[in-house]
Amino acid sequence: MAKKKQKSSQNKDKNQELKEQPVVVEDEAAAAKQEKEDEEKEEEEERSFEDLGLDPRLIRALIKKNIDKPTPIQRVAIPLILEGKDVVARAKTGSGKTFAYLLPLLQKLFSDSPSKHNQAPTAFILAPTRELCQQVYAEVMSLIELCRVQLKVVQLTSSMSNSDLRTALAGPPDIIVSTPACVHTCLSDGVLQQKAVQDSLSIIVLDEADLLLSYGYEDDLKALTAHVPRRCQCLLMSATSSADVEKLKRLILHNPYILTLPEVGDLKDDIIPKNVQQFYISCSARDKLVHILALLKLELVQKKVLIFTNAIDTSYRLKLFFEQFGIKSAVLNAELPQNSRLHILEEFNAGLFDYLIATDDSQPQEKKKFDSGSNAVQKKARKHAKQKLDAEFGVVRGIDFKNVHTVLNFEMPQSAAGYVHRIGRTGRAYNTGASVSLVSPEENDMFEDIKSIIGESDNMDSNFIAPFPLLTKNAVEGLRYRAEDVARSVTKVAVRESRAQDLRNEILNSEKLKAHFQDNPRDLDLLKHDKLLSKKDPAPHLRDVPEYLLDPTTQEARKIVKLARAAMGNNNTARRKGFKGKFRKSRDPLKTFSAEASRRPSKGGIRRRGPGCDAGHKRKRKETVD
Ligand SMILES: Nc1ncnc2c1ncn2[C@@H]1O[C@H](COP(=O)(O)OP(=O)(O)OP(=O)(O)O)[C@@H](O)[C@H]1O
């Protein structure tokens, strides 16, 4: 009996083994497949700029900029662009889209040295704002200088006179960087010869394409496409995949390759980099000053800090308030002359000051433009707005503020889109970042909207907004008396006077800057933008926070922030390279592309849709006359 039992149990075991075997085989197959995929992915990630076929001069220039490895979008876009393909690249902000088109574009110009008979530029790079154009222009110039090649690049702006434009276009230049409106004006005024453009133009880039239509450039682009020859290579770079991008694609591209970040299509995933930690502090509107003072003065947030307000007066109020505590800051807003704004951006990016207070009122303006319906109305609205605030200025979107470690929302933006665009100014390239939003009860509804739109629950990693843990009630109360005292001294009249004085200064600066930059485009030290506005010097006792005001928790929190800063090598002169290796890959926005199901998945994981390989994307032909 016992033997029978043993046998039956042995049989059972055997059966069990047999049953389990296929599962083991399946597991092994899956593991092998996974391993192969990982290997392929790793191989793809290892691809260097050399592997992409990039010119050694460009590679050397990149090395001088501490850039040694292509980002995922660059890995896929560069070879395609070098092959002459039309490309639509959609990847989140800070993913390196600018070099993804600039490097191959320059390489093409190096090798196919433009014909001597060209009467017009070979390449147009169009971006929605002057600041963005300036940013691209600076990148092209620096690459060209580092490569030591002879290429002429000009930036055209709508504030240039016809004779300035003609002078700039004499030659002609190889590359024009401008807004669509400005190029359209040049074409219709005959400053740019239409026939010459049709003969010479071989590459056109629409950068920040998702913004071009919302900035009201549809008519300009339509007019422009009429002069873009059929053989011209068209590149469209965008952070989102909106209906506007689709429209542009139809308007100007022929059979493009579509390179898409898997998550693109949803605002939250497009913009908020995964390595940005988001926090909030609930407090009354009145208490915001003492809270922001505590954050900055007690060094509970990492520098550099970009502070957002919704109104220009608020930014001056903050600046005057900070001054009394020895915190130097600069303001940036659409009221300031263009040269000053560019200079402020350059100084901030160069690390000349740590706190920049930017007024971001672009959301309501943009919305107004959308709501206004017809293009004629949009254009009129744009012209009207320009009289007071510069409509081509965008504080938030697309501007590459360098090494911003903290974004502070002193006032909540007016929309969820505004929120994600503000947050997108940190965590760029290989940096990590944090944001802290001060939320008053009146802003609570907007905050709830933002939370629901960016979806706290489904993606805890990138979209969770947590209470800010490092600021204690005691720390705030310790500073309250001083803060309220100083806040009372920053009256409406003081704010108004400072704003007017700053504007006057900056207009003067702007003239000086204009003249100076013509001769010394790289000189940053001529003027300071973080100078004191207040007539009286800050009281010495407000500059330093006495130890007795700091409770043990705050002291501990300060230490943590300092340690984190030291660990990250975060100081103004910190080179990206120094701390590059310390970040986990999964938190690196430059490496967050992952595979998406497609009919022809690329090894690198970017969805790559070639002409004719996507049924949903019928071949796109340019609908306008060549
Ligand atoms: N391969 C790279 N390695 C390291 N840093 C890079 C690389 N390519 C670009 N960068 C840097 O990353 C930053 C962001 O790049 P870029 O401005 O091109 O991003 P973007 O995708 O165009 O963002 P946005 O949509 O906001 O304009 C820049 O400071 C750039 O110098």
Side-chain angles (χ1 to χ4, degrees), residues 49 66-71 74 91-99 135 139 208 239 398-400 402 425 428-430 576 590:
F49 282 115
N66 288 317
I67 292 179
D68 48 11
K69 218 174 131 196
T71 65
Q74 292 164 357
K92 69 176 73 180
T93 79
S95 54
K97 292 188 291 294
T98 314
F99 284 152
Q135 206 168 280
E139 287 288 15
E208 305 288 346
I399 300 279
D400 189 20
K402 302 245 189 243
R425 297 312 99 203
R428 294 170 76 74
Y430 286 104
R576 203 180 291 123
L590 297 172

Side-chain angles (χ1 to χ4, degrees), residues 194-195 197-199 222-232 234 251-254 621-626:
Q194 300 177 1
K195 172 81 174 57
V197 169
Q198 285 171 19
D199 290 343
K222 276 189 180 149
L224 191 60
T225 50
H227 309 289
V228 176
R230 183 74 179 79
R231 60 177 160 70
C232 177
C234 301
L251 189 66
I252 202 160
L253 280 94
H254 340 272
R621 302 249 170 236
K622 187 156 65 70
E623 294 168 349
T624 47
V625 193
D626 279 352

Side-chain angles (χ1 to χ4, degrees), residues 402-571:
K402 302 245 189 243
N403 300 329
V404 171
H405 280 83
T406 308
V407 167
L408 271 181
N409 283 318
F410 182 73
E411 292 173 307
M412 290 305 282
Q414 326 247 325
S415 68
Y419 177 83
V420 287
H421 284 293
R422 286 183 185 185
I423 305 301
R425 297 312 99 203
T426 181
R428 294 170 76 74
Y430 286 104
N431 291 322
T432 54
S435 73
V436 185
S437 298
L438 301 180
V439 186
S440 69
E442 299 75 42
E443 292 166 321
N444 223 19
D445 285 351
M446 175 48 69
F447 185 52
E448 288 303 320
D449 272 3
I450 290 170
K451 282 199 292 187
S452 67
I453 288 172
I454 68 164
E456 281 195 352
S457 53
D458 59 332
N459 189 350
M460 298 289 281
D461 201 23
S462 65
N463 292 321
F464 182 68
I465 311 179
F468 186 70
L470 301 181
L471 184 59
T472 63
K473 206 163 178 282
N474 282 346
V476 173
E477 292 313 315
L479 290 170
R480 182 177 292 282
Y481 175 75
R482 288 151 189 254
E484 290 186 349
D485 200 30
V486 170
R488 269 193 295 276
S489 73
V490 185
T491 60
K492 272 191 184 152
V493 177
V495 168
R496 209 181 315 137
E497 278 180 3
S498 302
R499 179 171 168 179
Q501 180 201 326
D502 194 41
L503 188 56
R504 271 195 302 273
N505 287 345
E506 290 298 348
I507 288 170
L508 283 176
N509 284 350
S510 181
E511 286 308 306
K512 285 189 217 165
L513 285 168
K514 198 171 161 189
H516 180 82
F517 280 144
Q518 270 161 8
D519 300 332
N520 311 284
R522 304 193 142 263
D523 194 343
L524 290 177
D525 295 329
L526 181 70
L527 296 161
K528 297 286 279 176
H529 296 278
D530 59 342
K531 60 194 173 304
L532 299 189
L533 282 179
S534 170
K535 289 189 180 98
K536 54 178 189 202
D537 280 343
H541 73 282
L542 293 178
R543 282 178 164 270
D544 304 310
V545 183
E547 283 293 311
Y548 67 82
L549 282 182
L550 301 179
D551 59 307
T553 323
T554 306
Q555 291 187 8
E556 202 52 37
R558 289 179 82 176
K559 263 189 224 152
I560 294 172
V561 176
K562 265 193 191 138
L563 279 174
R565 186 161 50 228
M568 288 162 61
N570 169 18
N571 55 45

